[in-house]
Amino acid sequence: EVQLLESGGGLGRPGGSLRLSCAASGLSFSNHAMSWVRQAPGKGLEWVSGISAGGSDTYHADSVKGRFTISRDNSRNALYLQMNSLRVDDTAVYYCVKRNSAMFGFYFDSWGPGTLVTVSS
Amino acid sequence: QSVLTQPPSVSGAPGQRVTISCSGSRSNIGAGYDVHWYRQVPGTAPKLLIFGNTDRPSGVPDRISGAKSGASASLAITGLQAEDEADYYCQSYDPSLGGVVFGGGTKLTVL
């Protein structure tokens, strides 16, 4: 059974930084693309960042481009999200998700429980 | 405002059938990209319900089904049960908008 467990959430200051981690188990981690998806309080889901299985290709939503960086360490079965220049509207639960390929497009077949990031002065 | 449009809420009595629509455009669903559905019980993580427009992961009952036509998709739940009360999200892909896109979510209430 795939298990994903996020950590690193908490209170961040506007303009500050936080680093999220995701520990993966129950899968051949290095064979799978991964992503981060977030959900602001009372709002819907928003894709944030994605990374290829080997880590060479990364993708970010326009809302976080230039501020967030996704990375992974396949030797540690770990996924990361470095969040810089935090803004109040980055406040959300951040989910670590395993990406799978459809015939045309992608979907997310495993989700962690999420970690809450609150950005406030 | 979400790229994919869903009704904010739907409701039905136990045993009834409900459908949730997901409307896209020519740059995402209408371009042929697949639609996927997730169920989220408040306070918990979303769970994959339908992938590839119509396929169910193991463990999802066959009273839950998906369909796609043109630039829209729908999720149908028959034999409504109390445990179906949750938020439902559709998801697709839109290269013109940078990648994965979600609907705004639909709250299903079992009366």
Side-chain angles (χ1 to χ4, degrees):
Chain A
E1 179 191 1
V2 175
Q3 291 197 344
L4 304 171
L5 184 61
E6 305 90 343
S7 61
L11 178 64
R13 303 299 183 190
S17 299
L18 280 176
R19 189 195 196 208
L20 305 185
S21 299
C22 172
S25 60
L27 75 165
S28 296
F29 183 70
S30 61
N31 288 343
H32 298 282
M34 301 291 293
S35 285
W36 290 94
V37 173
R38 69 183 179 183
Q39 185 172 35
K43 302 296 184 183
L45 301 172
E46 179 189 16
W47 172 80
V48 174
S49 301
I51 188 167
S52 59
S56 59
D57 299 313
T58 60
Y59 313 88
H60 298 276
D62 286 344
S63 58
V64 305
K65 203 169 289 183
R67 302 187 299 120
F68 291 9
T69 302
I70 188 173
S71 63
R72 65 191 297 162
D73 184 340
N74 286 344
S75 68
R76 296 177 182 266
N77 287 356
L79 178 72
Y80 306 103
L81 186 67
Q82 178 66 42
M83 309 165 64
N84 297 333
S85 302
L86 286 168
R87 306 194 302 220
V88 172
D89 62 0
D90 292 322
T91 295
V93 174
Y94 286 74
Y95 296 103
C96 169
V97 296
K98 173 178 164 284
R99 200 191 82 179
N100 208 332
S101 295
M103 186 72 73
F104 300 103
F106 312 107
Y107 60 96
F108 306 116
D109 58 6
S110 295
W111 296 64
T115 187
L116 175 63
V117 170
T118 302
V119 182
S120 174
S121 55
Chain B
Q1 189 161 342
S2 302
V3 174
L4 306 179
T5 301
Q6 298 180 234
S9 63
V10 297
S11 62
Q16 285 190 333
R17 178 181 188 270
V18 296
T19 62
I20 298 172
S21 61
C22 175
S23 178
S25 68
R26 286 183 293 179
S27 62
N28 41 67
I29 301 175
Y33 291 103
D34 290 332
V35 178
H36 323 286
W37 292 89
Y38 304 87
R39 167 189 285 173
Q40 183 180 34
V41 174
T44 69
K47 172 191 167 185
L48 180 66
L49 215 53
I50 294 287
F51 65 96
N53 306 313
T54 59
D55 295 333
R56 286 182 301 274
S58 60
V60 175
D62 59 7
R63 61 187 185 84
I64 294 173
S65 62
K68 176 190 166 187
S69 178
S72 296
S74 61
L75 177 74
I77 304 176
T78 60
L80 207 56
Q81 301 176 3
E83 67 189 42
D84 296 323
E85 189 160 288
D87 296 320
Y88 292 80
Y89 293 91
C90 62
Q91 176 247 307
S92 187
Y93 186 80
D94 193 324
S96 72
L97 296 176
V100 172
V101 291
F102 286 97
T106 298
K107 181 177 180 58
L108 169 59
T109 300
V110 180
L111 301 171

